[in-house]
Amino acid sequence: MDADDKSRGLYAGDIATLRALTLECLASGGSSDTMFVYLQQAVLGFDGDEVWGKELDRINDGEVDVQCPACAEDLLVDLQSGDSSIEPGLSAQLATRLHAEALRVGHESVATSLTYLFGRMTCPVCGVTFNLADEVTGSPR
């Protein structure tokens, strides 16, 4: 949810109400894996997360484009089949939370995809290993 601090303050009550409703839906698991990811994204947006509130839907896409930080090779990574160049992991506290939410309500495939998105990848071209999520978001290394 794109909003400056002034707007967030002005609409804090509305944001809190929408967040609470979204959390209720999230707790029930949503109707599908896709909807569940959208609900997680919405909560992140209500919380002001400007990165994963926008980028988490890559789970629904099933793949992600990244560039190797060492050799600049463009890589298309499959988040659903367990790309053999990915070491599954949860490289951030947020990833651990999202993963636990998915498991709690029975969205195992979302939980698995999160371990790929927040895992470590070895570039098939140069062999350098890096955190996939860092390259998705352009985080400094």
Side-chain angles (χ1 to χ4, degrees):
M1 172 175 177
D2 288 334
D4 58 26
D5 289 339
K6 181 180 178 185
S7 295
R8 283 191 161 280
L10 184 62
Y11 297 105
D14 294 331
I15 292 170
T17 299
L18 290 170
R19 184 181 188 280
L21 291 170
T22 305
L23 285 172
E24 285 178 29
C25 292
L26 192 63
S28 70
S31 58
S32 67
D33 285 349
T34 300
M35 182 56 68
F36 182 77
V37 171
Y38 289 146
L39 290 169
Q40 285 185 313
Q41 241 182 314
V43 171
L44 292 170
F46 292 135
D47 290 345
D49 185 317
E50 294 185 20
V51 176
W52 292 107
K54 295 177 184 173
E55 300 291 343
L56 194 64
D57 64 345
R58 292 171 185 263
I59 297 280
N60 289 337
D61 295 340
E63 61 189 19
V64 63
D65 290 308
V66 294
Q67 192 173 69
C68 174
C71 71
E73 181 71 20
D74 289 324
L75 305 167
L76 181 62
V77 183
D78 186 343
L79 297 175
Q80 295 179 331
S81 70
D83 190 315
S84 62
S85 62
I86 298 176
E87 176 187 332
L90 297 170
S91 62
Q93 186 176 15
L94 174 64
T96 302
R97 185 187 101 202
L98 296 174
H99 183 262
E101 286 174 357
L103 289 177
R104 186 171 37 256
V105 293
H107 288 282
E108 288 83 8
S109 63
V110 172
T112 299
S113 292
L114 283 162
T115 67
Y116 298 137
L117 182 60
F118 286 91
R120 294 180 52 76
M121 178 174 183
T122 300
C123 177
V125 175
C126 71
V128 165
T129 301
F130 56 91
N131 285 330
L132 187 57
D134 290 347
E135 298 311 311
V136 168
T137 62
S139 296
R141 294 163 201 58

